Amino acid sequence: MPVTTNSKKAKALFNEAIIQMFDNNSKRTTELLKEAIDIDSTFVVANLFYAYSGFGSIDREKYLKTALENIENVSETEKHLTHSFAAYAKGDKIETIKEMNAAIELSPNDKSLAGVLASIYESYNQYDSALVYAKRRFNLDTLSASALNYQGYILWR
């Protein structure tokens, strides 16, 4: 997925945060996302992910609002991702999934988007659909033990 920011350092921190997120290191994920936001406060996807991780969730509305206010200058993929997170926050399941699918259509080889949609389906207790996207995430990154483990978790659920 294209990631739009004014800072190479913030982008590097975000990319590392995504790795940590999928390795289930939520404390480190949160720290890295916060560092990225401290460098570039208008960094849309960093604000989105921070809103749903660790301490960022305390002020979720603030970070979602920042993301929504700054989507004009980001990629179409990022726009759909942002609209998906906003719909999720409102409890609009249909719009959440529609927007995530639009983001995935634009960036079909992005493992993080597949992982996010798997998590969304899991949160809605739609395990068959969650498994489809968990498998897709693993197929995009076959060296990821956490991606394989997540499939097992969904099957267990």
Side-chain angles (χ1 to χ4, degrees):
M1 160 178 65
V3 176
T4 307
T5 177
N6 297 321
S7 166
K8 288 181 182 180
K9 176 72 174 167
K11 185 175 184 173
L13 290 165
F14 174 79
N15 288 333
E16 180 60 27
I18 295 303
I19 292 167
Q20 295 298 316
M21 179 178 70
F22 286 113
D23 282 343
N24 295 314
N25 188 348
S26 59
K27 181 179 184 291
R28 187 66 182 136
T29 300
T30 302
E31 292 168 352
L32 291 164
L33 290 169
K34 183 65 170 109
E35 286 180 53
I37 292 168
D38 288 344
I39 293 168
D40 180 0
S41 63
T42 63
F43 189 172
V44 171
V45 292
N47 275 281
L48 287 178
F49 282 88
Y50 189 71
Y52 282 91
S53 67
F55 292 115
S57 64
I58 294 168
D59 291 324
R60 180 170 291 148
E61 289 179 25
K62 170 186 166 186
Y63 294 101
L64 284 173
K65 182 179 180 213
T66 299
L68 285 165
E69 288 173 346
N70 291 286
I71 63 170
E72 291 307 313
N73 297 317
V74 299
S75 70
E76 287 301 311
T77 302
E78 291 169 282
K79 287 177 184 176
H80 287 291
L81 179 64
T82 304
H83 289 301
S84 178
F85 274 58
Y88 188 83
K90 292 177 185 173
D92 187 340
K93 182 168 121 178
I94 293 169
E95 190 67 15
T96 299
I97 292 169
K98 179 184 125 203
E99 290 292 342
M100 274 307 301
N101 278 316
I104 289 172
E105 274 187 42
L106 292 167
S107 297
N109 296 319
D110 188 286
K111 62 186 174 192
S112 63
L113 291 176
V116 168
L117 188 50
S119 296
I120 288 170
Y121 276 122
E122 182 211 336
S123 76
Y124 293 138
N125 299 322
Q126 292 183 287
Y127 302 115
D128 290 340
S129 296
L131 187 58
V132 167
Y133 285 93
K135 285 180 178 180
R136 182 176 182 160
R137 182 186 181 288
F138 177 72
N139 289 334
L140 292 167
D141 185 10
T142 57
L143 298 178
S144 172
S146 64
L148 186 59
N149 183 54
Y150 189 52
Q151 290 178 60
Y153 174 75
I154 291 169
L155 287 166
W156 173 77
R157 294 281 315 241

